[in-house]
Amino acid sequence: MPDLTWRGGTEIAASVASGALTARAVVDAALDRIAARDGVLNAFTDVTAARARARAAAIDAERAAGRPVGPLAGVPFAVKNLFDVAGLPTRAGSAINRARPPAVHDAVLVTRLEQAGAVLVGALNMGEYAYDFTGENRHDGPSRNPHDTSRMTGGSSGGSGAAVAGGLVPLSLGSDTNGSIRVPASLCGLFGLKPTFGRLPRTGSFPFVSSLDHLGPLARTVGDLACAYDAMQGHDAEDPCCAQRLENPVSAALESGIAGLRIAQAGGYFRANLMPEAERAVRLVSDALHAEPVVELPEAARARAAAYLITTAEGAALHLARLRERAAAFDPDVRDRLIAGAMVPAAMLIQAQKFRRWYQRAVSRLFDGVDAIIAPATPCCAPALGQKSFVLDGVELPVRANLGLFTQPISFIGLPVVAVPVAGPMPIGVQIIAPPWREDIALRIARYLEVSGTAVAQRPAEG
Amino acid sequence: MPGERLMTDAELDAYIDASAVVLGLTIAPEWRAAVRANLAVTFRMGSLVGAFELPDEAEPAPVFLA
């Protein structure tokens, strides 16, 4: 059996389709790898081994019968535990939700990936109720960064980062309300896609902030990211925020290069509060893309503040009954933020929503002149587990709220972003930001950076 | 009212106490300092956003459809 630890998903699928590998062998290898390594990484909260073996056997039977097996045939994947998985309570990182009845159906995106041949192998650790940028979890313990297990994965999709960067699976799904895909992608050295708000349906996932919640994939290659994204596209009427748009498959055009694209760097807000590794990563990516123009996202600090307000107020409203009845069962860090969020005056929240439209229009005008914008993903590489504060531009700030400093002003207006990893002693990510509905542009650029060697998911050394 | 100046700890505590009654929340004494600190950050964010002048006709964007 070849070592599949670092093999890409589409490569695995090609081997399964050709008969060089069976889906069952691939899934068994992933389950063995999880058993061997997850005790350290703590990426998984549930391993669905029996289901995965049955699904793999079905794929092998399909192939033996001469039927097509899908572009992700036999590719093991796992999902943040806020996705419904039939038979499991959807815990969303909390202790409270464990008392929920098991989900009856899978989340729509899980179903769509399995329809493309992928095989679900489990559910992944996350920050409680997704209100987190660290990947630490009071109840399940922290997910650990595969590049240095004494450090954070980033969050809240921490297990989604650890599982893919640790070579346990080639593909995972996360959610991103303010940066929860892009932050762990950055700290774990992965490619992560946060699509346009409304592109992928959230049906069958536990919410956080309805007007900001996005779902998306993390992977070690752009090809895998694009293949998974293509498999998940399409309207679903059960998510009222899911746009009724035609699907826009991106995989076929990935190799189009960057000729003709006008790429700029984000200035101002996005040039402050950077540690040297973040500055270096942005410089390397900008140089590789010849992204010389600098554009200012107007009022980005205010946009971040407005995203913060909407998140804390909407999140608190979602959890208010639980805060009344079971406040002591929350992670204290989450509880105390949510209690404060419940006390936001209505006028303050509405002003944030009005500002949001102003900001969306102002940023959309920028895209009249550029096709993509480069910005840092995180201010620094992975902090140590348990680290509460860091110093940015001479000011001590809490880690938990500020790892998303650069992601929040982007998701605030739903723009599509690919986080691309830049290698180093510890990896760090850079955001490739595109206009609404132009995930194809961000993914093309990411692929160009991958081919040129600027962006790479580096393999961790295992101690 | 937030937006005019930073609130004192005593003012924040009074606001927390009154809001907790309205919301039906019980705040254990050992949670108080963290709730107050979070509320202070939240109101600073609110002041920043509130200081941005928008016309009366400005429409909110509660659901953003890009």
Side-chain angles (χ1 to χ4, degrees):
Chain A
M1 182 69 187
D3 178 16
L4 301 178
T5 306
W6 207 247
R7 192 172 292 192
T10 48
E11 200 181 342
I12 288 171
S15 297
V16 169
S18 73
L21 285 172
T22 64
R24 178 61 192 262
V26 173
V27 165
D28 281 343
L31 294 171
D32 287 349
R33 173 80 183 153
I34 293 165
R37 192 67 181 148
D38 198 51
V40 173
L41 297 180
N42 200 29
F44 280 79
T45 50
D46 301 275
V47 178
T48 53
R51 167 186 167 143
R53 289 195 174 101
R55 174 81 189 128
I59 291 167
D60 290 333
E62 290 286 304
R63 186 186 174 277
R67 287 190 282 271
V69 287
L72 289 167
V75 175
F77 76 104
V79 296
K80 186 174 185 174
N81 68 30
L82 56 64
F83 285 82
D84 285 352
V85 173
L88 298 178
T90 305
R91 70 172 79 177
S94 71
I96 293 170
N97 278 31
R98 278 163 229 222
R100 286 160 63 97
V104 176
H105 303 290
D106 291 336
V108 163
L109 296 190
V110 172
T111 301
R112 288 182 180 175
L113 285 179
E114 290 213 318
Q115 283 169 344
V119 181
L120 182 78
V121 297
L124 298 166
N125 200 356
M126 60 176 281
E128 187 180 71
Y129 290 129
Y131 203 177
D132 164 58
F133 284 131
T134 66
E136 296 178 333
N137 182 294
R138 183 82 162 198
H139 318 293
D140 293 309
S143 49
R144 292 178 179 273
N145 195 309
H147 296 277
D148 177 344
T149 54
S150 71
R151 299 198 197 211
M152 294 176 181
T153 52
S156 64
S157 310
S160 307
V164 178
L168 310 188
V169 286
L171 174 69
S172 66
L173 296 184
S175 68
D176 188 316
T177 302
N178 284 294
S180 285
I181 289 172
R182 293 162 288 160
V183 170
S186 176
L187 302 193
C188 292
L190 298 170
F191 293 93
L193 170 64
K194 186 205 75 62
T196 311
F197 182 84
R199 173 72 88 176
L200 298 182
R202 304 166 304 179
T203 314
S205 63
F206 195 81
F208 177 23
V209 182
S210 172
S211 72
L212 287 168
D213 289 343
H214 309 68
L215 305 178
L218 296 92
R220 298 190 296 263
T221 71
V222 180
D224 286 2
L225 206 62
C227 188
Y229 169 62
D230 282 349
M232 293 189 290
Q233 286 188 49
H235 179 65
D236 183 79
E238 293 300 311
D239 177 357
C241 295
C242 186
Q244 299 201 43
R245 293 181 67 91
L246 290 176
E247 294 173 32
N248 179 26
V250 297
S251 294
L254 267 192
E255 310 291 342
S256 307
I258 60 167
L261 293 179
R262 301 162 300 170
I263 306 171
Q265 303 171 47
Y269 176 90
F270 295 91
R271 291 250 173 114
N273 295 309
L274 291 173
M275 290 197 191
E277 63 268 25
E279 281 184 5
R280 171 181 171 270
V282 171
R283 188 173 62 248
L284 287 172
V285 166
S286 299
D287 287 352
L289 298 172
H290 309 292
E292 284 143 21
V294 176
V295 295
E296 298 280 337
L297 276 72
E299 300 291 346
R302 238 185 278 272
R304 191 251 175 161
Y308 183 104
L309 286 171
I310 292 167
T311 298
T312 198
E314 276 197 41
L318 174 70
H319 290 292
L320 190 57
R322 282 177 284 272
L323 290 169
R324 284 186 185 126
E325 292 154 16
R326 304 200 55 195
F330 279 77
D331 178 333
D333 284 340
V334 174
R335 178 195 62 217
D336 298 340
R337 291 177 88 184
L338 287 174
I339 289 174
M343 298 175 175
V344 172
M348 200 178 268
L349 175 64
I350 291 168
Q351 171 77 1
Q353 291 286 20
K354 287 184 173 180
F355 172 78
R356 189 180 195 182
R357 187 176 297 280
W358 177 91
Y359 177 69
Q360 184 260 324
R361 287 185 173 165
V363 174
S364 73
R365 284 193 289 273
L366 287 182
F367 284 111
D368 292 341
V370 299
D371 299 301
I373 300 171
I374 308 306
T378 51
C380 57
C381 64
L385 284 168
Q387 186 177 329
K388 295 295 182 196
S389 64
F390 49 23
V391 176
L392 300 177
D393 284 355
V395 180
E396 186 168 5
L397 295 167
V399 168
R400 191 181 184 92
N402 286 285
L403 275 172
L405 204 56
F406 300 123
T407 50
Q408 277 185 282
I410 311 303
S411 36
F412 180 49
I413 50 168
L415 298 173
V417 185
V418 175
V420 301
V422 174
M426 286 295 291
I428 188 167
V430 173
Q431 297 185 89
I432 313 293
I433 304 159
W437 313 113
R438 296 309 304 269
E439 290 85 351
D440 59 317
I441 292 177
L443 285 161
R444 262 172 67 189
I445 294 171
R447 176 62 183 150
Y448 176 86
L449 291 166
E450 185 181 38
V451 169
S452 70
T454 309
V456 60
Q458 68 194 91
R459 186 170 183 167
E462 285 175 23
Chain B
M1 178 67 193
E4 300 300 314
R5 59 172 175 79
L6 293 181
M7 293 169 77
T8 64
D9 280 359
E11 287 169 333
L12 284 166
D13 279 335
Y15 184 86
I16 289 167
D17 289 338
S19 300
V21 173
V22 173
L23 294 164
L25 295 173
T26 303
I27 299 168
E30 62 271 26
W31 308 348
R32 165 78 56 161
V35 171
R36 188 197 304 121
N38 277 297
L39 200 60
V41 171
T42 302
F43 285 166
R44 277 207 301 277
M45 299 286 187
S47 297
L48 183 61
V49 178
F52 191 77
E53 286 193 24
L54 289 164
D56 287 337
E57 295 77 15
E59 293 282 346
V63 172
F64 173 74
L65 288 178

